[in-house]
Amino acid sequence: MADIKSPEAIGKMRVAGRLAAQVLEMIESHIAPGVTTDAINRICHDYIVGDLGCVPAPLNYKGFPKSVCTSVNHQVCHGIPGPRRLKNGDIINVDVTVIKDGYHGDTSRMFSVGKTGVQARRLVEATREAMHRGIEAVRPGARLGDVGYAIQRYAERRHYSVVREYCGHGIGLEFHEEPQVLHYGRPGTGEELAPGMTFTIEPMLNAGKRHVRLLPDGWTVVTCDHSLSAQWEHTILVTGTGHEVLTRRPDEAF
Ligand code: MF3
Ligand code: CO
Ligand code: CO
């Protein structure tokens, strides 16, 4: 069961969400051919700690060695920043989670490196829209299955597959709380949503088959068929009438 946040906790979640969003805004201008994923990590870390006064939640989380996740091309999620240099045409997800005043804000987005191909662009855009469809399904009285169904239906109509092994999650004082937010499902099933719940929606869509495997580094998830994968993530609050996107950036409509 998802817990219901107090008004005080919701205020702190709003702050954490806004700060996480700022990290993605900040990093955009640094994404370019030749930049290493380690450099992206370092710039994010210094901004999170030095400018925002936050703690980067991934660092040392269950042994994760870096402050953000960077997942390139056929990497699905949880990529570890390292010496790899971005090249023209790559797509990369940067996943940022900050802790402020004990509360977590978790958000990720795709970036294009230089000029990407039409297939990569279509996948990235469809994944953003799939996340958006899931968010639009969030309101009191709806069920988690409605959210998953909205995402899956949109993705599969576009002939993309939805990764099953990783999901969204409740979030608050803990990084990963109940409930699990599946990105597939059947309408009218699952936990009923109520005002004050906070959770992430973070669909991963593959251009090929949905199957994934874990690399020997113990973290990086890749598509089995090496097809491209994309992911976008927001932290969402269920409000009295619908939802609030706590990690919304100023350029996003919602
Ligand atoms: N930010 C990821 C999520 O959306 C979790 C990363 S866990 C880490 O849930 F250890 F890989 F950082
Ligand atoms: Co998350
Ligand atoms: Co995340």
Side-chain angles (χ1 to χ4, degrees), residues 35-105:
V35 175
T36 66
T37 51
D38 243 344
I40 294 168
N41 176 73
R42 183 184 44 76
I43 295 163
C44 287
H45 177 93
D46 291 350
Y47 185 74
I48 289 166
V49 174
D51 295 66
L52 301 181
C54 294
V55 173
L59 187 59
N60 303 319
Y61 177 78
K62 297 184 177 174
F64 190 79
K66 300 284 177 167
S67 297
V68 299
C69 299
T70 53
S71 305
V72 181
N73 295 343
H74 79 293
Q75 297 178 346
V76 173
C77 62
H78 303 168
I80 305 174
R84 178 185 187 144
R85 285 185 194 281
L86 297 178
K87 63 177 198 311
N88 185 56
D90 283 348
I91 57 172
I92 180 173
N93 174 281
V94 180
D95 192 341
V96 169
T97 312
V98 304
I99 308 171
K100 184 70 166 183
D101 211 359
Y103 285 86
H104 291 70

Side-chain angles (χ1 to χ4, degrees), residues 95 97 106-107 167-169 171 175-176 200 202 231 233 235:
D95 192 341
T97 312
D106 187 9
T107 184
C167 57
H169 48 91
I171 184 167
F175 196 163
H176 296 109
T200 71
E202 49 181 301
Q231 178 179 32
E233 173 176 27
T235 298

Side-chain angles (χ1 to χ4, degrees), residues 26-246:
M26 178 280 301
I27 202 63
E28 180 163 23
S29 63
H30 296 275
I31 307 285
V35 175
T36 66
T37 51
D38 243 344
I40 294 168
N41 176 73
R42 183 184 44 76
I43 295 163
C44 287
H45 177 93
D46 291 350
Y47 185 74
I48 289 166
V49 174
D51 295 66
L52 301 181
C54 294
V55 173
L59 187 59
N60 303 319
Y61 177 78
K62 297 184 177 174
F64 190 79
K66 300 284 177 167
S67 297
V68 299
C69 299
T70 53
S71 305
V72 181
N73 295 343
H74 79 293
Q75 297 178 346
V76 173
C77 62
H78 303 168
I80 305 174
R84 178 185 187 144
R85 285 185 194 281
L86 297 178
K87 63 177 198 311
N88 185 56
D90 283 348
I91 57 172
I92 180 173
N93 174 281
V94 180
D95 192 341
V96 169
T97 312
V98 304
I99 308 171
K100 184 70 166 183
D101 211 359
Y103 285 86
H104 291 70
D106 187 9
T107 184
S108 81
R109 61 159 291 178
M110 300 300 297
F111 296 99
S112 293
V113 182
K115 187 167 167 50
T116 51
V118 61
Q119 296 189 71
R121 282 206 302 278
R122 285 182 60 239
L123 172 66
V124 165
E125 215 23 64
T127 307
R128 195 194 54 74
E129 180 61 23
M131 174 192 65
H132 194 250
R133 300 279 176 116
I135 291 171
E136 288 299 318
V138 174
R139 57 187 160 70
R143 291 174 178 271
L144 280 175
D146 301 336
V147 174
Y149 176 74
I151 292 166
Q152 182 180 18
R153 186 187 53 171
Y154 179 79
E156 293 181 353
R157 282 188 178 176
R158 299 284 305 265
H159 304 290
Y160 295 119
S161 61
V162 177
V163 173
R164 306 276 178 116
E165 288 81 357
Y166 300 87
C167 57
H169 48 91
I171 184 167
L173 285 170
E174 302 291 332
F175 196 163
H176 296 109
E177 303 182 351
E178 286 188 17
Q180 295 196 25
V181 180
L182 303 182
H183 303 117
Y184 59 93
R186 286 181 296 122
T189 66
E191 189 173 339
E192 185 174 326
L193 304 183
M197 291 180 180
T198 52
F199 53 82
T200 71
I201 297 179
E202 49 181 301
M204 287 141 277
L205 268 55
N206 298 346
K209 297 201 188 311
R210 67 173 179 83
H211 305 95
V212 300
R213 70 183 179 89
L214 189 62
L215 291 188
D217 66 18
W219 283 103
T220 311
V221 179
V222 299
T223 56
C224 284
D225 61 10
H226 281 69
S227 62
L228 286 179
S229 188
Q231 178 179 32
W232 296 72
E233 173 176 27
H234 273 306
T235 298
I236 312 296
L237 165 71
V238 184
T239 63
T241 54
H243 55 265
E244 186 177 322
V245 180
L246 299 178

